[in-house]
Amino acid sequence: MIPRHIGLIMDGNGRWAQGRGLPRTDGYAEGLTALRKTLARAAERGVQAVTVYAFSTENFARPDDETTAIVSVVRTFNRRYDGDMKVTYMGDVYAFGEDFADSVEDIEKRTENNGGLHLNIAFGYGGRDDIINAAKRCCDKGEFTREDFEANLSGAGLPPLDLVIRSGGEKRLSGFMLYEAAYSELYFTDKLWPDFDGDDLDAAIADFEGRQRKFGA
Ligand code: FPP
């Protein structure tokens, strides 16, 4: 079975640039190129949704020039994208200023009726905060069934997160979709994100297809 929903933890952009004697910030534009190739292959393979971890709550501690570089790459994407994906965001996009938040509203509106792959961008997102916020909303409403809770997570409505891929050599989730990833298959590669492409996605999908999923049963 092809994974319905894939999470991408796109690690290694800064190291990729440093390894070429470039400023770390140059890695993010290359990271977007790698993402485009990966998304094209995901769509070809029939994946329904891809969620990408583009800025975590912990990334707010990064030097200003890195935050500025990431925001600039993503805002430009928001303004220029004219393909057939449906694009949505999750996380505190208002933390990046009005102009960025406007660009998010704009791309979400422009692409809401698109029928292609669903690209969900986690930006200013942290899985712990998301769980706490969902719990707070349930407490406020006085309704706290599992269904109420899940409906209040940012990833509500997306297909089950079947597979999480992390590039860059580290083997952890770093707060990515902590609730949704409870039974996701995890795939790690040492490749730095800008070197990742459609063939790497195919390798991850082939690995996924070889896994036996028993969900604890
Ligand atoms: C971690 O790599 C990655 C990020 C903090 C952001 C990645 C964002 C992009 C590639 C832009 C994607 C574009 C869109 C439109 C979603 P790192 O640079 O921290 O890795 P390293 O320091 O470990 O090398």
Side-chain angles (χ1 to χ4, degrees):
M1 179 186 121
I2 292 287
R4 290 160 289 186
H5 179 188
I6 298 178
L8 296 176
I9 304 178
M10 308 177 290
D11 204 11
N13 303 280
R15 280 174 282 157
W16 182 92
Q18 277 174 316
R20 283 163 179 73
L22 300 166
R24 281 177 56 82
T25 47
D26 285 10
Y28 302 110
E30 284 303 321
L32 175 57
T33 304
L35 178 59
R36 284 183 193 281
K37 291 182 203 163
T38 306
L39 292 171
R41 188 68 61 92
E44 258 175 64
R45 294 288 174 250
V47 174
Q48 295 169 32
V50 173
T51 296
V52 296
Y53 207 10
F55 201 97
S56 73
T57 44
E58 285 69 32
N59 291 154
F60 284 115
R62 296 259 174 138
D64 281 353
D65 64 328
E66 283 197 29
T67 302
T68 305
I70 298 167
V71 169
S72 161
V73 164
V74 177
R75 187 177 39 220
T76 305
F77 170 81
N78 289 345
R79 293 283 185 220
R80 298 196 182 150
Y81 181 71
D82 66 353
D84 69 351
M85 290 187 298
K86 173 188 166 98
V87 182
T88 57
Y89 272 78
M90 65 181 190
D92 183 11
V93 298
Y94 298 96
F96 302 90
E98 212 173 303
D99 190 46
F100 183 79
D102 281 352
S103 78
V104 168
E105 201 179 307
D106 194 46
I107 192 168
E108 287 189 332
K109 237 199 184 95
R110 273 188 350 258
T111 64
E112 67 186 344
N113 296 318
N114 282 357
L117 179 73
H118 181 165
L119 170 64
N120 182 44
I121 301 177
F123 211 79
Y125 170 89
R128 284 178 174 167
D129 281 1
D130 204 49
I131 289 170
I132 291 166
N133 290 336
K136 274 188 192 150
R137 282 194 283 268
C138 286
C139 287
D140 289 349
K141 279 198 221 148
E143 288 166 6
F144 215 134
T145 65
R146 181 170 171 162
E147 286 70 30
D148 295 320
F149 177 76
E150 290 177 354
N152 278 287
L153 291 168
S154 301
L158 288 160
L161 184 65
D162 286 326
L163 171 65
V164 176
I165 299 171
R166 180 172 188 147
S167 62
E170 305 292 351
K171 295 183 176 66
R172 57 175 172 261
L173 287 175
S174 300
F176 180 72
M177 302 192 84
L178 295 177
Y179 185 91
E180 295 88 338
Y183 275 97
S184 304
E185 299 300 325
L186 307 179
Y187 181 89
F188 300 102
T189 169
D190 287 339
K191 273 207 175 175
L192 302 177
W193 178 253
D195 291 327
F196 196 92
D197 62 15
D199 291 344
D200 295 303
L201 182 77
D202 278 343
I205 292 176
D207 187 82
F208 170 84
E209 288 181 312
R211 307 267 182 108
Q212 222 197 339
R213 304 190 80 201
K214 298 201 306 193
F215 300 95

